[in-house]
Amino acid sequence: MKVTFYGAARTVTGSKHILTTIGGKKILLDCGLFQSKGTEELNLHFGFNPAEINYVILSHAHIDHSGALPMLVKQGFSGPIYCTRATYDLCRIMLADSAKIQESDIAYINKKRAAKNLEPREPLYSQDDVEACMKLFRYKEKYTEWYTLDDELEVSFTDAGHILGSACVNLKIREGHDKVIHLLFSGDVGRPGDLILRDPEKTFQADYIICESTYGNRLHEPRVNTRENLLKIVTDTCVKRKGKIIIPAFSLGRTQELVYTLDRMRTEGLLPDIKVYVDSPLSINATGIMRNHPECFNADILEYMKHDTDPFGFNNLMYIQNVEDSIRLNSLDEPCIIISSSGMMEAGRIKHHIKNNIGNSKNTILIVGFVPANTLGDRLLKGADEVKIFGKEYQVKAEIKELQAFSAHADYEELFDWLRPQNPKKVKRFFLVHGEYDAQQAFKERLLAHGFNNIEIPEREDSFDLT
Ligand SMILES: [Zn+2]
């Protein structure tokens, strides 16, 4: 058997790895879009022939793992795509949203190209391509169950605790009569103690491991009391100053965690009598899918749901679908909380809410997630007095607050917790993917100290024989 890496190689996006069996079968693990700055051009060519792929096995619905699937189908792939049921449900909305973004991005690019007399480009894929792609999904109902895909291949998904439906991919690959190779692909590994999801689950012993390394050189800060801090910010802003709280948050994951936290505070009589708006169509759809998958929830939220059947809805909480209703929030003159996307504040309706509220000292902009360098969120956190939004300068008068919310990625200690079921002596080779090179090198050193050997940090299109 052979493994070749086509993405997430010394970078964190574009996850794509191909296993080639001795019978010549090709299995693609994940099919993500490159999203990091400067890697977008890599999306134009796969580097392999999609028509030659027999199966796709998908770890989870994040676009950097699933976002190139419609393109794969457009360019000739026609086999099945295996994943969990929640991943299938999420892919339907995530890929449709991604197609919308591709279409609007290309309109902008083509305007620039036209000015230079260049031919217009096509979007990477359209809604029709997404529809065709969704027809190839074959979801599996249960975690940890082994499913036979053919006489060479068995798969078992173990819960990765990263986002709804996320899985680590455990494979048994038969070679001849008596040899079976066990391979483990981590996908993205979550953190123990998530508000909604279960902890990452025990994996099966593997001969070969392909492992993410996003935080291979980092430890998360100790968990702080998010609830108490959030309540203080709500009281200071909405009760004392009669202002608004604007919270940029990713549509899937962070938004539901926030809503669930507020829901519990409301039930316990802690939340003041103010309106809460979730202003993002993708959040509405993602929350709907979350409601349909309580089988992915942890014991704590399931216990809470015995008394409150909808942990993502309460009096005073409104989900905003239409643009007109979103615009109406601008003229609202009362204390409230507005949660909107995207979390990085570089796109989406959140930019309008920040623009409209940043100039008033009554208000608070509350940052709850990771913000990369050189983004609006980064500038606000660094204490900028003025920021540019839609090409215009705005004075920062609103209070800027940060809540150490939960990251969806395990740090290196948590990755070692996840690796605990693996006996390092039985692992023949260990591949590090999905990380920046310095994080990967640091993680490699730690793996060696834990007794793992033969650790590789592949570059794009590197290939290894697994014999
Ligand atoms: Zn992910």
Side-chain angles (χ1 to χ4, degrees):
M1 192 173 69
K2 200 175 80 172
V3 60
T4 314
F5 299 89
Y6 287 96
R10 303 194 181 189
T11 180
V12 290
T13 62
S15 189
K16 271 179 230 87
H17 321 297
I18 292 181
L19 301 175
T20 309
T21 67
I22 50 166
K25 207 172 286 157
K26 288 184 192 289
I27 303 138
L28 178 60
L29 301 173
D30 283 359
C31 189
L33 276 185
F34 287 97
Q35 292 177 302
S36 325
K37 268 205 168 83
T39 59
E40 296 86 352
E41 288 287 307
L42 293 175
N43 287 323
L44 300 177
H45 307 284
F46 279 111
F48 57 86
N49 180 0
E52 287 177 1
I53 303 290
N54 297 83
Y55 307 122
V56 174
I57 303 180
L58 180 61
S59 66
H60 67 290
H62 272 153
I63 288 301
D64 60 325
H65 294 256
S66 71
L69 281 168
M71 222 164 74
L72 192 82
V73 177
K74 189 179 171 183
Q75 294 185 24
F77 171 74
S78 59
I81 301 166
Y82 295 107
C83 61
T84 66
R85 185 172 188 149
T87 295
Y88 163 73
D89 287 346
L90 283 174
C91 276
R92 184 172 283 289
I93 59 164
M94 301 285 283
L95 295 177
D97 187 67
S98 175
K100 219 191 293 168
I101 294 170
Q102 307 300 333
E103 283 163 359
S104 78
D105 279 2
I106 209 70
Y108 175 76
I109 290 168
N110 282 342
K111 218 189 259 176
K112 283 187 155 180
R113 287 176 71 84
K116 292 179 194 163
N117 279 329
L118 293 168
E119 287 286 299
R121 271 188 184 170
E122 283 217 341
L124 289 178
Y125 50 85
S126 65
Q127 298 294 347
D128 288 347
D129 298 318
V130 172
E131 274 311 307
C133 169
M134 292 315 297
K135 292 197 175 97
L136 300 178
F137 274 72
R138 305 282 179 270
Y139 58 77
K140 298 294 178 192
E141 292 282 356
K142 286 186 179 153
Y143 282 117
T144 70
E145 193 109 333
W146 282 98
Y147 295 99
T148 303
L149 303 188
D150 62 30
D151 51 3
E152 263 188 321
L153 195 65
E154 284 177 64
V155 66
S156 175
F157 294 109
T158 46
D159 196 339
H162 168 65
I163 59 165
L164 189 82
S166 65
C168 305
V169 178
N170 301 257
L171 287 172
K172 285 186 204 171
I173 303 132
R174 202 166 289 282
E175 289 198 340
H177 285 301
D178 47 6
K179 190 176 170 192
V180 178
I181 296 176
H182 294 252
L183 185 138
L184 169 61
F185 169 48
S186 69
D188 286 350
V189 181
R191 305 185 65 193
D194 188 278
L195 280 180
I196 299 166
L197 303 174
R198 286 193 298 262
D199 290 354
E201 204 168 30
K202 197 169 176 273
T203 53
F204 296 92
Q205 176 70 52
D207 304 306
Y208 300 96
I209 297 178
I210 302 171
C211 182
E212 70 128 319
S213 47
T214 317
Y215 289 127
N217 58 351
R218 264 175 58 181
L219 288 179
H220 294 307
E221 296 203 5
R223 289 188 194 284
V224 290
N225 197 334
T226 309
R227 261 165 63 103
E228 265 174 28
N229 290 341
L230 180 59
L231 190 58
K232 183 169 181 338
I233 294 166
V234 173
T235 311
D236 287 350
T237 311
C238 301
V239 180
K240 291 186 187 158
R241 303 203 304 264
K242 306 262 179 280
K244 297 181 194 173
I245 302 179
I246 311 296
I247 312 181
F250 288 106
S251 308
L252 170 62
R254 196 70 37 79
T255 292
Q256 289 79 26
E257 279 187 296
L258 274 165
V259 168
Y260 170 48
T261 305
L262 293 168
D263 187 306
R264 279 187 89 138
M265 280 163 48
R266 178 90 194 157
T267 303
E268 291 162 24
L270 296 170
L271 194 68
D273 193 21
I274 48 162
K275 296 225 164 58
V276 178
Y277 300 94
V278 175
D279 183 20
S280 147
L282 186 59
S283 288
I284 300 173
N285 294 334
T287 307
I289 288 169
M290 206 121 187
R291 283 193 183 104
N292 289 337
H293 287 281
E295 80 282 1
C296 298
F297 293 177
N298 66 38
D300 192 44
I301 186 171
L302 289 175
E303 182 60 36
Y304 176 73
M305 285 168 66
K306 285 182 187 164
H307 312 287
D308 176 357
T309 48
D310 184 6
F312 309 112
F314 53 90
N315 284 345
N316 278 359
L317 172 74
M318 268 147 282
Y319 287 95
I320 308 275
Q321 178 89 45
N322 300 329
V323 179
E324 299 78 47
D325 293 334
S326 174
I327 293 170
R328 214 163 285 145
L329 292 180
N330 298 342
S331 51
L332 205 72
D333 189 25
E334 60 183 68
C336 65
I337 300 175
I338 299 173
I339 302 168
S340 186
S341 65
S342 83
M344 290 189 200
M345 290 161 261
E346 284 298 292
R349 293 181 183 179
I350 189 65
K351 278 178 84 173
H352 294 275
H353 295 305
I354 293 181
K355 183 191 83 173
N356 289 321
N357 292 287
I358 200 163
N360 191 330
S361 59
K362 288 197 304 190
N363 302 330
T364 298
I365 293 168
L366 175 59
I367 296 170
V368 293
F370 176 72
V371 282
N374 303 319
T375 57
L376 175 58
D378 180 47
R379 286 190 283 280
L380 290 176
L381 273 185
K382 284 182 177 151
D385 295 326
E386 268 192 358
V387 286
K388 207 179 236 183
I389 306 169
F390 297 121
K392 224 180 123 188
E393 292 286 351
Y394 289 86
Q395 281 207 316
V396 182
K397 292 205 174 139
E399 195 171 12
I400 309 298
K401 285 272 187 187
E402 188 184 16
L403 253 190
Q404 279 286 342
F406 305 149
S407 163
H409 276 278
D411 63 23
Y412 65 75
E413 286 296 351
E414 290 160 347
L415 279 174
F416 281 115
D417 283 345
W418 173 77
L419 280 167
R420 193 156 293 145
Q422 301 293 328
N423 178 350
K425 296 207 167 50
K426 293 191 176 167
V427 179
K428 292 180 186 143
R429 222 155 183 188
F430 202 114
F431 299 97
L432 292 182
V433 294
H434 203 288
E436 300 298 345
Y437 190 48
D438 49 347
Q440 295 185 311
Q441 282 171 311
F443 193 46
K444 178 177 174 173
E445 291 308 313
R446 293 195 173 92
L447 283 164
L448 288 167
H450 276 74
F452 289 96
N453 284 300
N454 301 318
I455 299 150
E456 308 283 354
I457 307 178
E459 288 194 75
R460 190 160 183 255
E461 303 204 13
D462 274 356
S463 209
F464 298 82
D465 262 323
L466 308 184
T467 43

